[in-house]
Amino acid sequence: MNPSTTPPLSPHTTPMAALTDRAWWEQVYADRPRWDIGRPQPAFARLAEAGAWSGRVLDVGCGTGEHVLLAARLGLDATGIDIADAPLHIALAKAAERGLSARFLRRDVRTLTVLRETFDTVLDCGLFHIFTSADRDAYLEGLRAVTRPNGRLFLLCFAGPQPGTPDRRLDATSLSERFRNGWRTDSIQAATLDSRTDAAGIPALLLTATRT
Ligand SMILES: C[S@@+](CC[C@H](N)C(=O)[O-])C[C@H]1O[C@@H](n2cnc3c(N)ncnc32)[C@H](O)[C@@H]1O
């Protein structure tokens, strides 16, 4: 393709192939993306403040680290992983600014088995829904490897298609189907994802599952 006709990369229009591309995620954070709201998602904040998170906490696709830093503020052992360095540098700077101790690692969740660590609480805000079916298999294999028996997963994903994002929507049935092997689905609730570009928030699903 002639470079002059190549559409510019933007966090507001997501080329389908780019979602698995580390370079794309690095670039997205040069221009603050719509999901980077500078505070935890309210659905996760409510859970954390209510004591639902415990022990060693891992946030997969942690972005600039708001959920990791929330866990750290609550006194939990907190780790965030992301495929890109750019958000992790921002997360580290926030941790230093706020005087919080948390660990941030560049890792691809699809190869998480190599981490050789286990966690009591695993968080995913906005990652699972970007993956193709094959990537979801690799993601689930990694997640099963790092979650202790009886460990809990809290996952927030789009409940419907979003403009500029490939339609890989999940409904409650397909979500619980995906988490049948190695997990017990405790609940799937309607939720909202706050966004810098949608005042009303984005319709979402909140999955809570326990590792069997
Ligand atoms: C929609 S953003 C959500 C970020 C963060 N959870 C939040 O709520 O602000 C998805 C994040 O997943 C990261 N990501 C994408 N593919 C990944 C992969 N294969 N492994 C780990 N992180 C990935 C991206 O770099 C991005 O930070």
Side-chain angles (χ1 to χ4, degrees), residues 6 10 12 45 62 67 69-70 82 103 133 187 189 194-195 205-207:
T6 307
S10 148
H12 307 302
C62 66
H67 303 119
L69 297 175
L70 171 57
D82 203 282
R103 187 171 61 142
S133 186
S187 64
Q189 295 165 333
D194 282 6
S195 156
L205 292 173
L206 171 62
L207 166 80

Side-chain angles (χ1 to χ4, degrees), residues 101-116:
S101 169
R103 187 171 61 142
F104 292 98
L105 307 171
R106 182 159 63 73
R107 294 284 187 283
D108 186 329
V109 69
R110 294 165 297 177
T111 54
L112 209 49
T113 48
V114 299
L115 192 59
R116 301 196 186 286

Side-chain angles (χ1 to χ4, degrees), residues 19 25 29 35 61-63 67 82-84 87 107-110 125-127 130-131:
L19 289 167
W25 291 105
Y29 281 95
W35 58 81
C62 66
H67 303 119
D82 203 282
I83 199 170
R107 294 284 187 283
D108 186 329
V109 69
R110 294 165 297 177
C125 178
L127 178 57
I130 71 169
F131 287 136

Side-chain angles (χ1 to χ4, degrees), residues 11 16 27-28 51 71 83 90 93 97 119 133 138 154 156 158 170 207:
M16 181 125 22
Q27 179 170 333
V28 152
I83 199 170
I90 299 170
E97 225 171 76
F119 297 84
S133 186
F154 301 94
L156 266 170
F158 290 155
L170 288 153
L207 166 80

